[in-house]
Amino acid sequence: GYVPRDEHELPASLLARVDVFDSLRIETQSCDPLRAAWFQVRGMRLALEAGEPKSVLRALCSAAAMAAVSGSANAARRTEDLLTRATELARQLGAEREYGNVCSARAVCAFMLGHPADVLAPAYEAERIYRSDSRSQGTGDYYRRFMAVSARVGALHILGENRRFMSELLVTLHEARATENLSAELHLLLNQTISEEIAGEVETGLAIQRHAD
């Protein structure tokens, strides 16, 4: 539990520490998952100590994503509990931007838990919210939007939606390259390899058809 407090009641240094641990978690997520998990736990404790609702909501979403990694039934229950609490907090705040954070987390968790059909709706909603909010340009929001889109691209492949998969992957890759986001490109590398295999299979099929004709 925590005692809700307005950010104006809190020392700026405490809020800055919460933000620092969130940023460190994001920066180490792909290269050092164990360290990222430590940053997530430490950030969660600080967020609860501060009691600032938006920080608590982001911490709940991060904890849900960490819980979903194992993909077990217990992980699914823990993840849903955390996301339900985050959703309720977003409803209380009445802030669409915070609801976008919940949608992004829900999409990522659904992907990691092996439920690709449950990825699409929250991923599209998260992207819509982030793109419509001019404040959503910081590192944290960009990361959360990208993770939702990346999960959606992967889910489209698993669901056999190859046309949409390739179309959305190309758009996402273009954005990553335009912003020189090497981390995003690395995240998409497997999907890019899959798309090249699909394109090769299509070309082979067309060649066989032309030869038969």
Side-chain angles (χ1 to χ4, degrees):
Y2 70 99
V3 178
R5 296 186 181 90
D6 188 275
E7 62 180 316
H8 300 297
E9 303 174 29
L10 298 164
S13 58
L14 178 56
L15 293 174
R17 289 175 69 198
V18 173
D19 289 341
V20 165
F21 276 101
D22 190 43
S23 296
L24 289 171
R25 177 190 63 81
I26 289 172
E27 291 297 325
T28 55
Q29 187 81 49
S30 58
C31 62
D32 193 342
L34 287 177
R35 190 179 296 273
W38 185 86
F39 287 138
Q40 183 273 314
V41 171
R42 189 73 182 96
M44 180 78 162
R45 289 176 180 171
L46 283 172
L48 292 173
E49 177 187 333
E52 195 280 309
K54 293 179 182 178
S55 296
V56 172
L57 182 147
R58 289 192 293 271
L60 288 170
C61 290
S62 298
M66 286 292 180
V69 169
S70 74
S72 68
N74 285 336
R77 286 190 290 271
R78 173 64 174 160
T79 297
E80 185 54 39
D81 176 63
L82 290 164
L83 289 175
T84 297
R85 290 163 62 187
T87 301
E88 176 59 22
L89 187 50
R91 187 193 65 78
Q92 292 172 11
L93 290 169
E96 191 174 49
R97 184 183 184 188
E98 305 312 320
Y99 181 61
N101 291 337
V102 177
C103 289
S104 174
R106 191 169 287 281
V108 170
C109 289
F111 184 81
M112 289 193 291
L113 290 169
H115 304 303
D118 295 333
V119 172
L120 305 186
Y124 282 120
E125 181 66 0
E127 185 178 25
R128 181 195 67 78
I129 290 171
Y130 287 132
R131 289 194 182 279
S132 65
D133 189 340
S134 60
R135 298 171 299 166
S136 298
Q137 302 299 325
T139 300
D141 286 340
Y142 176 84
Y143 171 82
R144 294 179 184 95
R145 174 170 69 82
F146 170 77
M147 290 305 293
V149 173
S150 181
R152 188 177 74 225
V153 168
L156 287 171
H157 168 64
I158 294 170
L159 293 168
E161 297 277 357
N162 288 338
R163 190 180 297 275
R164 289 170 64 191
F165 162 70
M166 295 183 72
S167 174
E168 296 200 19
L169 175 61
L170 288 174
V171 170
T172 309
L173 276 171
H174 177 75
E175 181 178 0
R177 288 165 179 164
T179 55
E180 298 183 347
N181 190 330
L182 296 179
S183 176
E185 289 191 59
L186 286 173
H187 271 289
L188 292 168
L189 189 58
L190 177 58
N191 284 324
Q192 186 177 3
T193 301
I194 291 169
S195 74
E196 290 169 355
E197 289 179 357
I198 292 172
E201 290 171 2
V202 170
E203 182 58 34
T204 299
L206 290 173
I208 293 172
Q209 184 178 354
R210 285 194 296 268
H211 181 72
D213 293 341

